[in-house]
Amino acid sequence: MEQDIDKILENYFEGETTLEEEKLLRTYFCSADVAEKHKDFIPLFRYQIAEREVKSARQVQVPSRRNYWWAAATCLAMAVGLTVVLNRPAEDLGTYDNPEEAFRETQKALNLLSTNVNKGVESVEYLKEYEETRKTIFKN
Amino acid sequence: MKRMLVVLLLFPVLALAQASFDKFDGMDDVTSVIVNKKMFQMMGNVKNKESQQYLNLIKKLDNLKVFTTQSTRVAGEMKAAADKHIKTAGLEELMRVNDRGQNIRIMVKSGAGETIVKELLMFIEGSGKENESVLMSLTGEFDLNEISLLTERMNLPGGEQLEKAKGKKTK
């Protein structure tokens, strides 16, 4: 027995022991009859056993599936929030800070648009006019 | 879940699609005029005799953007952006006028009534000496007749002739 332990110990310090052998070492050092020459190693193995008993006081939570839904919901909320924030510049005043100046420019732009719309309407009216004239001519 | 993700990713893109002409704002060769709802509201305080007609219309506007350029390159970009916007926003061509070398196109998105417009896009493609191209976008909910009336009363050639034509018609 003692020789065995010697050999296993030697391997242990070389890091070549199997799990079985290490278990054997631990039971040996926990037992009452430890040989005199091995007494020096008792604290080492007893310490290992004591440490095995230590448990974490904190409870580790494994994320559940429900948390993913929360994450998805948060993402959605953030996307909505971001779009709202990003679209806010629409509430800005624009190029001008002065209403009168902006009014003048708007007036100019609307006039340009109006003139062009009328150009189109005018040609339609012109066509109608032509159509009516044509009708009267052909009637007579 | 996957479908939801796609919707999530598309959401901001769709919401930002409206800003399709904003890239022209601040360009070197571009003169831009941008007026937003807030400013339209503030204009309500500008009291002026002849402005009443405009103010009535302005109340119905949300946003006005006008980009003017003399650069042929930017004009090309404007045309492309306009074409793209016409497709994505589903605008219909209202009229196409060729006046003294200027090619004018007006596109609209109709609203509830026959002449009610929710969105209007005008693109004037310049050519010749001046070569000034104008891209104009107007949103809100307004009557096209109201726009037309604005210049009718002023002594602009278009309005005058329109009056004449109308006068003849009622004879």
Side-chain angles (χ1 to χ4, degrees), chain B residues 13-102:
Chain B
V13 178
L14 289 175
L16 290 174
Q18 251 201 323
S20 45
F21 303 125
D22 283 356
K23 65 169 176 177
F24 297 115
D25 188 19
M27 263 193 189
D28 279 348
D29 311 329
V30 178
T31 314
S32 58
V33 175
I34 296 175
V35 182
N36 294 318
K37 181 106 186 158
K38 186 106 183 169
M39 189 46 111
F40 282 133
Q41 283 165 354
M42 282 165 76
M43 282 181 202
N45 305 324
V46 182
K47 281 279 177 266
N48 193 324
K49 267 182 261 159
E50 51 165 341
S51 64
Q52 199 50 46
Q53 209 180 353
Y54 290 92
L55 290 176
N56 287 341
L57 174 63
I58 281 168
K59 264 185 232 159
K60 297 167 193 164
L61 303 181
D62 284 341
N63 187 288
L64 168 75
K65 282 178 195 157
V66 186
F67 302 106
T68 317
T69 186
Q70 288 186 315
S71 145
T72 320
R73 183 184 55 82
V74 180
E77 275 180 55
M78 279 181 180
K79 197 177 180 181
D83 283 338
K84 201 178 149 202
H85 185 72
I86 290 163
K87 270 189 204 143
T88 48
L91 298 180
E92 283 174 287
E93 186 163 65
L94 181 74
M95 55 179 73
R96 194 189 284 245
V97 182
N98 209 315
D99 185 45
R100 275 166 287 168
Q102 268 190 325

Side-chain angles (χ1 to χ4, degrees), chain B residues 133-149:
Chain B
S133 297
V134 182
L135 179 68
M136 177 166 159
S137 154
L138 193 61
T139 56
E141 187 133 19
F142 50 94
D143 196 324
L144 209 57
N145 287 332
E146 269 179 282
I147 300 260
S148 166
L149 280 171

Side-chain angles (χ1 to χ4, degrees), chain A residues 97-113:
Chain A
D97 293 330
N98 178 350
E100 277 178 55
E101 210 178 334
F103 180 73
R104 273 199 299 276
E105 286 303 319
T106 309
Q107 209 168 5
K108 245 196 246 170
L110 290 176
N111 280 343
L112 177 68
L113 174 64

Side-chain angles (χ1 to χ4, degrees), chain B residues 69-72 75 99-104 123-134:
Chain B
T69 186
Q70 288 186 315
S71 145
T72 320
D99 185 45
R100 275 166 287 168
Q102 268 190 325
N103 207 339
I104 304 155
F123 182 59
I124 303 176
E125 200 176 353
S127 65
K129 216 194 260 175
E130 278 182 41
N131 193 28
E132 195 174 65
S133 297
V134 182

